[in-house]
Amino acid sequence: LHGPNDEIRNRIMPVNKAYDIDTLLDACRRYYAATSRRIHFEYAMIDGVNDTPEAAKLLLKRLLRLPQKQCLSVQAQKS
């Protein structure tokens, strides 16, 4: 994921222009509906980019909307 919204993801993940966060999470919903398999998300926290309390709250809000339990791995990175 690496960002809770398109503004941040566009800055650090060029693929977001083709597959924005809503498209990605919709695909996760469809995958879970088809397979019932848990999804593992990774989030690299980048100092000064996506490491704010607001970003964490938005990420949590988005993930809690998904129908399944998730696994979230977070790594802190200094810029």
Side-chain angles (χ1 to χ4, degrees), residues 45-76:
M45 291 177 61
I46 303 167
D47 187 32
V49 177
N50 63 352
D51 63 341
T52 64
E54 293 79 20
K57 288 176 188 173
L58 181 55
L59 178 65
L60 179 61
K61 183 178 176 181
R62 286 185 175 277
L63 293 181
L64 288 175
R65 287 189 215 146
L66 295 174
Q68 76 280 357
K69 293 182 182 179
Q70 308 87 18
C71 181
L72 175 64
S73 295
V74 179
Q75 286 186 330

Side-chain angles (χ1 to χ4, degrees), residues 9 13-15 21 27 31 34 39 51 54 56 60 65 68 79:
R9 285 173 51 87
M13 298 183 64
V15 72
I21 187 103
Y31 175 81
I39 299 170
D51 63 341
E54 293 79 20
L60 179 61
R65 287 189 215 146
Q68 76 280 357
S79 58

